[in-house]
Amino acid sequence: MNCEVCQLKELEVEHFEVREVLRCILHTILFHRALGLVRPKDVDLELFDITYVQCGDVELEKKIDEKIDQFIDRVEKHPNKKNQICLSFYEVKNKHATWFTNKVERLYWEQWYINLNTIQHPKAHFGKSHHSKVVVDPGESSSERNAHPTALESSLREVLFQIIKFVNEKKDHVPSIPNLEGVSFPYEITVSSSSDSAFGMDMLKRMLQTGHPTMLS
């Protein structure tokens, strides 16, 4: 089985923008890979003039928020590294058990790489709440402060169009609908910095298991 890979455009974000940006991207991907058992819910971003759709599933929302919390913790511990989230969809296959394998095997058929370059604001205080407080640098001009959110909103729109283009063009690799409960195909979300060697080795192992991926960026 070939694994289709979509490397999304890298976004430059400030710390307080991370949560909303990741929610928008992850929910958009999962909505487009929903199995039909959804209650679509429109969500307006607070920081940008963008509306996206969620599946309306509480458990899915909880899992996404947990992974975003994990991502933010990693950004705070490794502020000088680019970080990424990999959202992978897979099939579950039963195998004959041997002394070195499990009975169940995951066959990855699609992977999405979300790449964020987080800007560390030197005079900002970041809390654990969903809405972090930011102290504006008095030496920064209003035009400089306004340029970043405008550019990010435009780039985020590009990423959303990239997602839609991918799901519309790449359909042959999508497996038949599994006989499982839930709103989405089986999936997992992995958080790491882009330079993490262990993360890279894990991705390589998956590619070897699932076949050579094709890229769409």
Side-chain angles (χ1 to χ4, degrees):
M1 173 186 290
N2 287 332
C3 179
E4 295 283 353
V5 176
C6 184
Q7 193 79 236
L8 294 174
K9 175 182 177 178
E10 181 180 298
L11 299 176
E12 189 173 86
V13 300
E14 292 194 47
H15 191 288
F16 72 97
E17 298 166 327
V18 169
R19 185 176 299 277
E20 201 166 53
V21 167
L22 286 180
R23 275 181 178 165
C24 178
I25 296 172
L26 288 168
H27 277 290
T28 298
I29 296 170
L30 284 160
F31 178 77
H32 283 285
R33 287 294 180 238
L35 297 174
L37 307 174
V38 298
R39 297 180 295 275
K41 180 174 71 174
D42 288 346
V43 178
D44 297 324
L45 294 183
E46 294 183 6
L47 300 175
F48 310 102
D49 186 21
I50 292 175
T51 299
Y52 68 96
V53 184
Q54 294 184 359
C55 294
D57 182 79
V58 175
E59 287 302 314
L60 186 146
E61 291 176 23
K62 180 180 177 182
K63 185 171 182 178
I64 286 177
D65 281 342
E66 287 175 351
K67 289 297 180 179
I68 292 175
D69 287 339
Q70 184 180 336
F71 181 91
I72 291 174
D73 286 342
R74 187 169 186 93
V75 168
E76 291 173 347
K77 292 175 182 177
H78 305 278
N80 297 321
K81 289 185 178 180
K82 295 180 180 180
N83 291 273
Q84 69 180 190
I85 282 186
C86 178
L87 170 57
S88 302
F89 293 97
Y90 60 87
E91 283 188 285
V92 177
K93 297 290 186 181
N94 293 322
K95 291 183 63 178
H96 295 294
T98 65
W99 65 273
F100 60 90
T101 61
N102 297 323
K103 291 183 179 180
V104 177
E105 181 183 19
R106 290 183 176 184
L107 299 177
Y108 295 88
W109 53 269
E110 188 172 274
Q111 292 178 324
W112 300 79
Y113 288 92
I114 304 166
N115 303 287
L116 298 187
N117 182 18
T118 307
I119 306 167
Q120 296 299 315
H121 200 295
K123 295 188 177 182
H125 171 72
F126 304 119
K128 287 290 185 181
S129 67
H130 286 190
H131 303 287
S132 301
K133 293 174 14 181
V134 177
V135 179
V136 176
D137 185 348
E140 188 178 34
S141 68
S142 59
S143 60
E144 289 174 328
R145 288 195 299 270
N146 293 332
H148 168 75
T150 301
L152 177 56
E153 180 175 320
S154 176
S155 295
L156 182 55
R157 289 182 185 276
E158 289 182 37
V159 168
L160 297 180
F161 282 122
Q162 189 181 354
I163 293 169
I164 294 170
K165 182 174 183 287
F166 184 94
V167 297
N168 285 335
E169 293 182 354
K170 301 288 185 176
K171 299 178 181 179
D172 293 342
H173 69 291
V174 179
S176 58
I177 296 176
N179 187 23
L180 296 171
E181 294 183 358
V183 299
S184 170
F185 286 97
Y187 70 94
E188 68 179 17
I189 301 174
T190 308
V191 177
S192 182
S193 69
S194 59
S195 59
D196 192 328
S197 59
F199 182 79
M201 288 300 294
D202 184 52
M203 291 298 103
L204 177 60
K205 181 179 178 182
R206 292 178 189 178
M207 290 177 184
L208 292 174
Q209 290 174 341
T210 57
H212 297 292
T214 58
M215 302 291 290
L216 178 64
S217 58

